[in-house]
Amino acid sequence: MKYLVTIIALLISFNLPAQQRSVNYDEEEVPNYTLPDVLVSENGRRIKNAKRWEKIRRPELLELFGQEVYGEIPVEIEIADVIVHEEAGEAYDGLAVRRQVELVFVKDDLELSVELLMYLPKDSGEVPLFVGYNFNGNHTVSDDPDIRLTESWVRDNPSLGIVHNQVTEQSRGVSSDRCPIEKIIEAGYGIATIYCGDVDPDRDNFQDGIHPFSYQLGQFRPGYGEWGTISAWAWGLTKAMDYLSTDADVDSSKVIVFGHSRLGKAALWAAALDQRFAMCISNNSGCMGAALSRRQFGETVGSITKAFPHWFCENLNKYASREENLPVDQHMLLALVAPRPLYVTSATEDLWADPKGEFLSAVEAGKVYQLYGLEGLPVREMPGPDSPVSGTIAYHIRTGEHNITTYDWEQFVDFANTQLTTEK
Ligand code: GTR
């Protein structure tokens, strides 16, 4: 049996890109590790109740993640203007209305537009709503012909019709299987999405997106403890929340922030920073998302800072192959969502994201939920595939590959139904 597992792991690793080979996929090779205690403050005092957590430990951890991992957001930037391109376009055969809103940010001669695409159940009054980023433009999430095409930089992908870093009609709806909008609407929820590159293009270049808004004269990149791209994306989500709390059709006490993969990392960091988000969904967020860094299984701090240095602040490089020196681990990020409902997912074939590390991290975060008299995860052993478990933290490992699917969304909606009660 043991050999079979090793052979399967080897076979999987041969199919991976070079960057992901010579990576540990063997449970036996996971080093012994001790997690930093989420309930012991930096001066060694035990945190025994929610009040002390909120006053001492929560701010400490936010600062550590800010300084050493994602980078602090160094400026306050408010929405300068809201341009409503479409207020209530008919969508999904009259089931929904489509709203398209541009948030404009201005500083000196800098200007940035972030476009929010929303679908809301028709004539439903204030609704709970999911908000999260998409990877390639709002028009990719549905084949709805009326979604505006982004003019922002998008990574070239000729097979999707993305050429010269601009999208074309060809990519309309290409990611629609990642977000069953009709089902979400039928369940009584709204959904809002933003192209992540509107806020910060996903490339190693700090000259575009929101970053330059924070620069002093002569500065060309963020300082060592200042925002990388994930922090910029988290900032964008908090600005979306600023807008959503003014939208009369949204119940701003029930806004659920979600994200898949790199965008799941951003959703977690946004929920940690901004307690207005009522619930958080981390889908296959992996390394520097939900997964424990000290396990060194799949993607590691070393590999992620090499492949995607711009996602983090420069200080994180100190911990490449030195995970044991990190003052935090990712269970602490999950704990920063407490006491709000949190859903963490993995996928059976997504070993790169370390499913077990994501699960164990969620178990460990439960210690902070307990301070509020809540049960985090109700189990200590990882459940089998497609068997969701939930307390105030929920977890499932879906059969299949790294992705976000209708199955995942069905669980998110069920969980939200139980956690965010409908009466106000
Ligand atoms: C991978 C990266 C992961 C994950 C993923 C994604 O290449 O190593 O951390 O975020 O990209 O965003 O799809």
Side-chain angles (χ1 to χ4, degrees):
M1 182 64 189
K2 198 177 130 199
Y3 295 113
L4 192 65
V5 172
T6 313
I7 290 169
I8 292 172
L10 275 173
L11 286 175
I12 291 173
S13 72
F14 282 132
N15 280 323
L16 294 168
Q19 163 223 2
Q20 300 183 19
R21 282 185 217 139
S22 77
V23 171
N24 178 36
Y25 289 115
D26 183 352
E27 214 38 65
E28 307 273 312
E29 297 295 321
V30 170
N32 287 329
Y33 62 89
T34 310
L35 291 178
D37 195 328
V38 67
L39 291 181
V40 174
S41 72
E42 292 305 289
N43 68 7
R45 299 274 291 276
R46 181 148 288 278
I47 303 295
K48 293 196 180 127
N49 55 50
K51 204 167 157 204
R52 306 287 286 172
W53 161 256
E54 281 170 23
K55 184 149 189 278
I56 299 167
R57 191 59 171 149
R58 191 173 197 284
E60 262 178 18
L61 290 175
L62 279 176
E63 194 175 323
L64 288 170
F65 276 107
Q67 277 293 323
E68 304 296 312
V69 180
Y70 305 109
E72 307 271 2
I73 297 166
V75 280
E76 294 251 337
I77 308 160
E78 303 304 334
I79 301 171
D81 199 7
V82 176
I83 302 169
V84 180
H85 289 286
E86 191 179 33
E87 171 80 34
E90 168 152 329
Y92 292 99
D93 294 326
L95 198 67
V97 295
R98 183 186 48 253
R99 184 162 298 160
Q100 303 193 73
V101 176
E102 181 179 340
L103 311 180
V104 185
F105 300 90
V106 181
K107 190 190 165 199
D108 304 328
D109 54 350
L110 297 172
E111 192 174 312
L112 186 78
S113 280
V114 173
E115 199 149 322
L116 211 68
L117 165 69
M118 299 167 69
Y119 288 102
L120 299 160
K122 197 169 179 178
D123 300 328
S124 296
E126 281 192 353
V127 290
L129 172 132
F130 293 92
V131 60
Y133 286 115
N134 59 72
F135 284 79
N136 289 305
N138 292 348
H139 70 295
T140 61
V141 306
S142 163
D143 50 18
D144 180 345
D146 290 314
I147 303 173
R148 290 157 51 81
L149 297 185
T150 182
E151 287 172 11
S152 300
W153 180 95
V154 184
R155 184 169 307 287
D156 272 346
N157 188 337
S159 67
L160 298 185
I162 304 172
V163 282
H164 305 304
N165 303 116
Q166 292 295 307
V167 301
T168 62
E169 275 297 330
Q170 200 188 321
S171 46
R172 191 175 291 283
V174 290
S175 303
S176 55
D177 57 348
R178 286 189 151 184
C179 189
I181 294 171
E182 208 164 334
K183 283 190 182 212
I184 292 169
I185 296 289
E186 278 167 352
Y189 291 81
I191 177 150
T193 187
I194 299 169
Y195 166 50
C196 62
D198 275 5
V199 175
D200 191 25
D202 192 1
R203 57 176 166 174
D204 192 358
N205 161 0
F206 290 104
Q207 310 316 311
D208 51 16
I210 195 63
H211 285 114
F213 281 61
S214 68
Y215 297 162
Q216 311 291 328
L217 200 65
Q219 188 181 353
F220 297 102
R221 56 169 302 137
Y224 280 88
E226 289 182 352
W227 52 354
T229 293
I230 289 174
S231 269
W233 288 337
W235 169 86
L237 289 166
T238 72
K239 294 294 128 180
M241 186 67 208
D242 286 354
Y243 164 75
L244 292 169
S245 52
T246 66
D247 189 315
D249 295 325
V250 176
D251 180 346
S252 59
S253 71
K254 292 183 186 135
V255 174
I256 304 159
V257 63
F258 73 90
H260 168 61
S261 205
R262 67 197 67 186
L263 303 177
K265 306 180 211 292
L268 283 168
W269 183 223
L273 289 168
D274 190 339
Q275 292 178 284
R276 293 175 299 172
F277 292 113
M279 174 174 143
C280 178
I281 296 167
S282 148
N283 192 82
N284 301 184
S285 63
C287 183
M288 305 325 287
L292 295 173
S293 303
R294 280 168 173 76
R295 265 177 51 83
Q296 295 180 36
F297 185 103
E299 191 172 27
T300 60
V301 177
S303 37
I304 205 167
T305 50
K306 206 160 168 206
F308 306 102
H310 63 290
W311 285 355
F312 308 98
C313 69
E314 280 205 63
N315 280 337
L316 187 64
N317 295 322
K318 292 186 292 195
Y319 306 104
S321 309
R322 292 187 177 80
E323 287 81 359
E324 67 283 4
N325 293 343
L326 266 166
V328 289
D329 210 312
Q330 297 307 106
H331 61 302
M332 294 164 153
L333 180 68
L334 302 188
L336 287 169
V337 180
R340 295 161 291 163
L342 166 67
Y343 207 128
V344 174
T345 77
S346 310
T348 54
E349 290 166 28
D350 190 17
L351 298 186
W352 181 235
D354 185 13
K356 189 166 177 191
E358 297 184 303
F359 171 75
L360 293 175
S361 179
V363 169
E364 206 54 35
K367 288 184 179 160
V368 175
Y369 285 75
Q370 276 166 18
L371 296 182
Y372 291 89
L374 299 167
E375 184 175 43
L377 275 180
V379 297
R380 296 282 168 278
E381 291 293 318
M382 210 168 155
D386 311 316
S387 311
V389 285
S390 62
T392 307
I393 303 177
Y395 176 83
H396 72 244
I397 174 162
R398 172 183 44 74
T399 301
E401 59 182 14
H402 183 71
N403 199 357
I404 181 165
T405 68
T406 297
Y407 172 84
D408 297 314
W409 277 102
E410 284 165 354
Q411 315 317 313
F412 304 153
V413 167
D414 281 354
F415 185 57
N417 283 342
T418 60
Q419 296 291 321
L420 309 177
T421 50
T422 41
E423 70 275 5
K424 290 199 73 192

